[in-house]
Amino acid sequence: MTDPMDTTRPPPISLIALFLKFLRFGALAFGGPVAQIAMVRQALVEEERWIAPARFNRLLAVLQVLPGPEAHELCVHLGMMARGRIGGLLAGLGFMLPGLTLMMIAGWLYVGWIAGHVGLTGVLLGVQIAVLAVIARAVVRIGQHIIEDRLLAGIAVVALIATLMAVPFWIILLAGGLAYAAAERPIVAILVLLVPIVGALIVQYFVGATSAAGPVVAHAPATLAMLFIAGLKGGLLTFGGAYTAIPYVRADTVGRGWISDSAFLDGIALAGVLPAPLVIFATFVGYVAGGPLGALAVTAGMFLPAFAFSMLFFERLEAVVANPTLHRLLTGVAAAVVGIIAATFAQLTLATAARMDNMLIAAVLFALALAVAWRIKGAWVTPAILAGGAAVGWLISL
């Protein structure tokens, strides 16, 4: 919905110039979504006045409710404002291209030169421990924005426990969303939350159903279609930030035996230091699991929702998301995601601990990395934490 008093408009710009402008944004997109959004705001809102500040803030509010990397979705929408849907496509491609290219190169180097290199084992373990600290801080930060009352806290705790007990994620998300939609009737909300999850546990006990949280199909071959679906699942379910894509991509890749937890954490570490939305870690996962085409398949699935929501549905979604019932439903889903990613953090921690020879040193490194992530802010913090983890891992391995 456009404010009739809003006279700001993007200036005339060619498609090539539009692509190059957002390519530049992508090349400078260090520091995660907060830094990326601030960069775009400074250039296109404050300096070039493509969009009024009030409408920009309303746009951000809608994108933060929807799944997908909000900085990328923002670029798609602004490109569409300038030159229609082809402009949105070019803006989105320009913003993601530098990170995609660098991650493809990183995947090639990792598979060909780094993975399995005995001399780098300590360095990689140090980085992986630091990544766990970054994820732990992200869980808390996401939770602080989403968990606003006791029911949401209860949904998150139930989701954590249910994930660890191998309940399929879609049941957990549906139960969490419906429970919070019924928040005005607490007894109904509790029943809606618990009955589907308990029912799933009973079915699993008697039928032995496989789950999305554990092994799905042991060592099934990684096809391009399956990698695309793994990315699409992550792209559709990233409520609350890019870290929330981690459980779903991990379930469909690590859970199928296509990639190890250690390599998965290495991909998250690389994504933390590249100029790109953090979900670009999926490109690395796809490369390790299925080579260059696998990387492109996962990336296409991951970013497809981000393109689609802005290019096809935004004008309607701005009104739809304002619906209180739907907003509560999405908030309940987001709370369940907090529990799911917390459970995934626990699973990754256990997998990493199983490879450690000295748990005391690992615990100290984790505590130090967590303290830095907790107390210090800035675009450089995550790369600094990961570099510190690598340095400590290297010293220990000497």
Side-chain angles (χ1 to χ4, degrees):
M1 294 180 290
T2 305
D3 186 343
M5 302 300 293
D6 179 12
T7 60
T8 57
R9 294 288 186 276
I13 185 171
S14 69
L15 291 175
I16 294 176
L18 178 72
F19 175 76
L20 292 176
K21 179 180 287 290
F22 284 91
L23 184 70
R24 177 180 175 274
F25 288 150
L28 299 174
F30 296 96
V34 174
Q36 293 161 3
I37 291 170
M39 174 180 60
V40 174
R41 181 197 295 268
Q42 174 68 29
L44 301 187
V45 179
E46 298 179 13
E47 296 177 4
E48 300 183 26
R49 297 187 58 79
W50 280 34
I51 181 174
R55 188 180 178 196
F56 183 88
N57 293 338
R58 187 167 67 244
L59 171 62
L60 268 184
V62 174
L63 296 180
Q64 287 168 352
V65 172
L66 298 174
E70 58 266 36
H72 182 265
E73 290 175 325
L74 176 66
C75 290
V76 172
H77 186 77
L78 291 172
M80 189 170 63
M81 288 177 58
R83 291 298 304 265
R85 286 183 169 82
I86 185 64
L89 178 63
L90 290 174
L93 289 175
F95 186 71
M96 68 180 286
L97 189 59
L100 172 62
T101 302
L102 290 172
M103 189 57 92
M104 292 286 285
I105 295 171
W108 173 71
L109 290 172
Y110 185 89
V111 171
W113 302 91
I114 298 174
H117 194 291
V118 176
L120 295 175
T121 300
V123 174
L124 295 176
L125 268 176
V127 171
Q128 290 159 16
I129 293 169
V131 169
L132 289 173
V134 173
I135 294 175
R137 181 65 184 102
V139 173
V140 176
R141 185 177 289 116
I142 294 167
Q144 287 173 335
H145 285 95
I146 293 172
I147 309 301
E148 298 177 343
D149 56 42
R150 292 181 180 179
L151 179 55
L152 289 172
I155 290 171
V157 171
V158 170
L160 186 156
I161 296 170
T163 301
L164 293 176
M165 297 181 71
V167 175
F169 78 90
W170 61 270
I171 294 178
I172 299 171
L173 295 180
L174 184 61
L178 292 176
Y180 202 64
E184 295 179 357
R185 306 168 74 179
I187 301 300
V188 174
I190 292 172
L191 290 174
V192 169
L193 176 63
L194 295 180
V195 169
I197 292 173
V198 172
L201 288 172
I202 292 173
V203 169
Q204 288 185 174
Y205 179 79
F206 286 105
V207 181
T210 56
S211 74
V216 181
V217 179
H219 304 293
T223 66
L224 294 181
M226 295 173 77
L227 287 168
F228 173 80
I229 291 172
L232 183 62
K233 186 185 296 184
L236 287 170
L237 298 172
T238 50
F239 290 93
Y243 284 96
T244 60
I246 290 173
Y248 312 111
V249 178
R250 177 177 177 266
D252 280 347
T253 54
V254 176
R256 295 179 186 271
W258 298 342
I259 181 174
S260 67
D261 269 321
S262 60
F264 187 85
L265 286 170
D266 291 336
I268 297 173
L270 287 168
V273 299
L274 294 180
L278 184 73
V279 293
I280 207 72
F281 81 86
T283 302
F284 176 88
V285 172
Y287 199 107
V288 175
L293 292 179
L296 294 176
V298 171
T299 306
M302 179 65 75
F303 282 91
L304 180 60
F307 280 101
F309 282 128
S310 286
M311 292 177 65
L312 301 178
F313 304 121
F314 177 75
E315 295 300 333
R316 297 173 185 172
L317 285 171
E318 192 169 1
V320 171
V321 172
N323 182 290
T325 301
L326 180 58
H327 195 276
R328 284 195 296 270
L329 179 72
L330 293 173
T331 301
V333 170
V337 169
V338 173
I340 291 173
I341 191 175
T344 302
F345 163 76
Q347 293 165 341
L348 287 168
T349 300
L350 290 174
T352 303
R355 302 192 305 275
M356 293 300 304
D357 295 326
N358 191 319
M359 290 301 300
L360 178 60
I361 293 177
V364 170
L365 174 56
F366 176 82
L368 289 174
L370 185 60
V372 172
W374 207 282
R375 297 183 63 86
I376 302 176
K377 298 180 181 179
W380 56 272
V381 172
T382 296
I385 291 171
L386 300 178
V392 172
W394 176 71
L395 290 173
I396 293 171
S397 65
L398 292 178

